[in-house]
Amino acid sequence: TVIVTPGPSFNVPLPNIQVCEGATISTLTVNYSNGVGTASYQWYSNAVNSTTGGTQIQGATNSTYTPSALTVGTTYYYCTLTLTGGGCPQIASNTAEVIIHPDPTITLTSITPQMICIGGTISNPLQVTYTNGVGIPTYQWYYNSVNSTTGASQIQGANSNSYTPPTFNTIGNYYYYCEVSLSGNGCDTMISAVAEIQVFPDPIVTDPYTPQELCENATPTDLQVVASGGIPGDPFTYQWYSNTTNSNTGGTQIAGATNSTYTPSTVASGTIYYYCVVQQNNGNTGCESISNTATVIVTPGPSFNVPLPNIQVCEGATISTLTVNYSNGVGTA
């Protein structure tokens, strides 16, 4: 009796694997069909994607082998099968590409404290990026009242790589950080550095105004505001407005009036109300204060109402009194 069987072949190809450094890698397994004789196995590692020229792995003589994930890099593994006693040829499996990625690292794009005023929002969103690792990222932002990544509160819905906190209505320091997890096997969870947001009171504007009542073309007293407080070290910007009503909203911006002092015009008569808007960082940090209104009343210059009469009398007569009266103008006559 002579029984001839097909030569052996591996049933299922070896998978490719990507994990993070230090992970536990799934065991590679080969099984075969056909052929005849006693099976023996030998596993190999290779630096290139080839089933020749590999390095024999000592002791790896079973149908299973678990690669190590301690060294970062790409290694190719394959297994040879030898059947003794039946003249079957040696066969080699396909290569399993095993990529060991470094554990991921996370970077907070801005760790410099952002300073804003009460009622403001930050101009630059908090943002994280990561490198290395493998898999799909999951983000979660946290808030803390102290500069720490423990004991913080999870922010519901803050699940992207950037986060903009809502308007700050309370003075104080606020701390945020992000936790990033990757779906890849063995990838460590990353925690970013802490981002600090400092919230200060709005600037204080002092405006020692007194109403001015002047004649047309008279020289007025300069209007002046003094700003203090707000964000330390951040310069103030000024913008003056005029208004026809006694209100420090809804006025008309005065072109070029961007200093802490302003000289009102007295060219035309009328009552004008002036006020100044003081900001820091152009108001982008919520730092803004508005002065009270300064009233400037400009009246036409004085004029006599009735001309003096010419008089002719005889010597010794009683002459009618000459009298003048005037209108407009301002001040003590």
Side-chain angles (χ1 to χ4, degrees):
T1 302
V2 178
I3 302 173
V4 179
T5 66
S9 62
F10 288 111
N11 294 326
V12 179
L14 295 174
N16 294 325
I17 298 173
Q18 293 192 52
V19 298
C20 280
E21 183 180 5
T24 300
I25 299 179
S26 300
T27 300
L28 300 175
T29 302
V30 293
N31 59 76
Y32 73 97
S33 57
N34 299 319
V36 64
T38 301
S40 62
Y41 302 90
Q42 179 61 57
W43 288 87
Y44 292 82
S45 65
N46 209 343
V48 296
N49 188 5
S50 174
T51 57
T52 60
T55 300
Q56 190 178 90
I57 302 173
Q58 298 299 314
T61 56
N62 296 314
S63 62
T64 60
Y65 175 68
T66 303
S68 170
L70 298 179
T71 303
V72 173
T74 300
T75 305
Y76 299 91
Y77 296 92
Y78 63 93
C79 182
T80 60
L81 169 68
T82 302
L83 294 174
T84 60
C88 294
Q90 184 184 76
I91 62 172
S93 71
N94 68 299
T95 56
E97 182 184 57
V98 177
I99 302 175
I100 311 300
H101 295 271
D103 277 321
T105 57
I106 188 172
T107 301
L108 183 68
T109 54
S110 176
I111 59 174
T112 302
Q114 295 194 53
M115 295 183 288
I116 65 174
C117 286
I118 188 169
T121 58
I122 60 174
S123 54
N124 297 316
L126 306 177
Q127 192 167 10
V128 292
T129 59
Y130 73 90
T131 56
N132 300 322
V134 63
I136 299 171
T138 300
Y139 301 90
Q140 179 60 60
W141 287 89
Y142 291 82
Y143 158 75
N144 212 342
S145 58
V146 295
N147 190 356
S148 174
T149 56
T150 59
S153 300
Q154 190 178 90
I155 303 172
Q156 297 299 316
N159 305 120
S160 69
N161 68 325
S162 65
Y163 174 66
T164 301
T167 301
F168 291 90
N169 294 316
T170 304
I171 296 166
N173 292 354
Y174 299 80
Y175 302 92
Y176 297 89
Y177 66 90
C178 186
E179 183 179 88
V180 181
S181 302
L182 292 177
S183 61
N185 183 5
C187 296
D188 295 339
T189 297
M190 303 166 284
I191 297 178
S192 74
V194 176
E196 180 181 5
I197 298 174
Q198 300 174 356
V199 182
F200 295 90
D202 279 323
I204 298 171
V205 177
T206 304
D207 42 24
Y209 297 143
T210 55
Q212 299 185 56
E213 192 169 1
L214 307 161
C215 282
E216 287 179 343
N217 299 311
T219 301
T221 301
D222 285 345
L223 307 177
Q224 184 173 17
V225 294
V226 178
S228 61
I231 297 176
D234 194 0
F236 297 104
T237 60
Y238 305 89
Q239 180 60 62
W240 288 88
Y241 292 78
S242 64
N243 210 345
T244 55
T245 59
N246 190 5
S247 173
N248 62 0
T249 60
T252 301
Q253 189 178 94
I254 303 172
T258 56
N259 296 315
S260 61
T261 60
Y262 175 67
T263 304
S265 171
T266 59
V267 173
S269 60
T271 300
I272 302 295
Y273 303 92
Y274 298 92
Y275 62 91
C276 185
V277 175
V278 179
Q279 296 179 328
Q280 289 177 308
N281 194 25
N282 296 319
N284 291 333
T285 56
C287 294
E288 179 179 289
S289 287
I290 303 175
S291 73
N292 296 317
T293 56
T295 304
V296 178
I297 303 171
V298 179
T299 66
S303 61
F304 288 113
N305 294 327
V306 179
L308 294 175
N310 295 322
I311 300 174
Q312 294 190 48
V313 299
C314 285
E315 184 179 1
T318 300
I319 300 177
S320 301
T321 300
L322 298 176
T323 303
V324 291
N325 61 75
Y326 71 97
S327 59
N328 299 321
V330 62
T332 303

